[in-house]
Amino acid sequence: MQALSASLNLAGGSFLVLAGQLQAFLLAPVVAALGAWGVWQLAQRLWRDLAIAVLAPAIGERWGQVGFASGWGAVEIEKWLGNLFSDEGMRVVAWQSYGRYREIEYRLTESTIWRRGQSGQRIIHVMQVEIAVPRSFSGYLQLMPQSGFAGKVDNLLRQVTGSSEQRQQIDPEFDAVFDTIASQNASINTLLTPDFRCAMLALAARHPQTSLTARFEHGWFSLRLPIPHLVFAGTSLIKPLPDMAEDADALWWELTVPHRLIDALAGNHDGALR
């Protein structure tokens, strides 16, 4: 209520100040209203950032989170500047969580990408997970959405060109969702255990409309999951606190995605997270 009162006062004060300064102009009320609306939107954004910053440590510390940062504090300035001019498109990190769970290091990042294309700019929200794989492995392994006939054509082209990476058959249920592309020396059986396959299928089922991709490389597992919107995107100063329960549940789920995958990689020890 204090934040709501302060934000309304600030927006209303901005309107009055701008209207007074521009009273000689015909469109002064319109300009003042736009300025007040901008102040209100900024207050909404700050409220969302504050809500995440308060809840994330309360949730994540239970699961080994040792650090949480949002906005400017999420990445170093050099990386932030590099993200602005990335070949993929301008990337802005919304927040980042990192820590150790079962003595395994992990990082979780939520970002927005402004991708440039011939038809204009497209906004994509992405959740990215990085986990230090708890066992040694060799080679390279990539998981991509099942592509049907196109995947078979790609596999044929790899065989014709003598590529060291080939499409592999794992099991019917897993192959119906993911295409597995692996190098010749990849530790497939070591990495794609039944527990891990179940965890990946559960993620794919929770996000059926997205193109989930992942890879094992250089001792790390990386997962990239497009999401429809940033967590707490619907949070508002005028939204009753009980209605934020759904947002808090979504944040809890995202914060524990690395832990579910770590359990799958290392073997469930206390049962699956719920």
Side-chain angles (χ1 to χ4, degrees):
M1 293 303 295
Q2 290 177 344
L4 175 60
S5 176
S7 300
L8 289 173
N9 287 334
L10 183 58
S14 300
F15 174 83
L16 294 175
V17 169
L18 289 173
Q21 293 292 328
L22 302 173
Q23 58 183 342
F25 294 92
L26 181 63
L27 297 178
V30 176
V31 175
L34 290 175
W37 178 252
V39 170
W40 172 253
Q41 290 300 314
L42 176 61
Q44 295 272 64
R45 173 61 186 273
L46 293 175
W47 170 247
R48 287 193 291 268
D49 290 346
L50 176 62
I52 296 174
V54 169
L55 285 176
I59 297 171
E61 287 177 1
R62 178 184 178 186
W63 309 102
Q65 176 181 283
V66 298
F68 181 88
S70 59
W72 286 89
V75 294
E76 297 178 353
I77 184 63
E78 296 85 357
K79 186 174 182 180
W80 184 84
L81 290 173
N83 288 338
L84 294 181
F85 302 98
S86 170
D87 293 337
E88 184 182 24
M90 185 175 70
R91 175 192 293 262
V92 175
V93 175
W95 55 266
Q96 182 182 74
S97 168
Y98 54 93
R100 297 180 67 86
Y101 174 67
R102 298 181 65 183
E103 301 304 318
I104 298 170
E105 183 179 356
Y106 73 87
R107 294 189 294 268
L108 172 65
T109 305
E110 194 175 85
S111 307
T112 299
I113 301 173
W114 283 265
R115 180 171 291 173
R116 298 175 292 273
Q118 295 181 349
S119 58
Q121 195 174 67
R122 189 159 60 101
I123 299 177
I124 303 171
H125 305 295
V126 176
M127 181 174 67
Q128 185 159 343
V129 179
E130 297 172 286
I131 297 171
V133 179
R135 57 174 66 92
S136 61
F137 67 91
S138 59
Y140 168 86
L141 190 152
Q142 183 175 15
L143 300 176
M144 303 177 65
Q146 207 279 340
S147 53
F149 179 75
K152 295 179 181 179
V153 172
D154 289 340
N155 195 52
L156 178 62
L157 291 175
R158 293 190 192 94
Q159 294 176 353
V160 171
T161 58
S163 173
S164 61
E165 298 175 1
Q166 299 292 332
R167 185 172 181 267
Q168 304 292 330
Q169 301 290 328
I170 307 302
D171 69 51
E173 184 180 9
F174 192 75
D175 294 339
V177 179
F178 294 105
D179 281 344
T180 303
I181 311 299
S183 59
Q184 293 179 350
N185 61 333
S187 307
I188 298 176
N189 294 331
T190 300
L191 298 173
L192 299 185
T193 62
D195 284 340
F196 178 78
R197 297 200 301 270
C198 286
M200 290 297 293
L201 289 174
L203 274 177
R206 185 177 175 90
H207 303 274
Q209 304 301 321
T210 60
S211 299
L212 187 158
T213 59
R215 69 176 182 272
F216 289 91
E217 189 176 23
H218 304 313
W220 284 81
F221 169 74
S222 300
L223 178 143
R224 177 188 170 103
L225 176 64
I227 53 180
H229 54 75
L230 298 177
V231 69
F232 272 64
T235 302
S236 169
L237 279 165
I238 58 177
K239 186 176 183 178
L241 283 179
D243 292 347
M244 291 174 58
E246 185 176 344
D247 296 313
D249 182 67
L251 177 63
W252 175 83
W253 173 268
E254 290 198 13
L255 287 173
T256 56
V257 165
H259 309 77
R260 300 167 193 276
L261 293 171
I262 288 173
D263 276 346
L265 287 167
N268 288 329
H269 62 309
D270 290 327
L273 287 171
R274 298 187 183 278

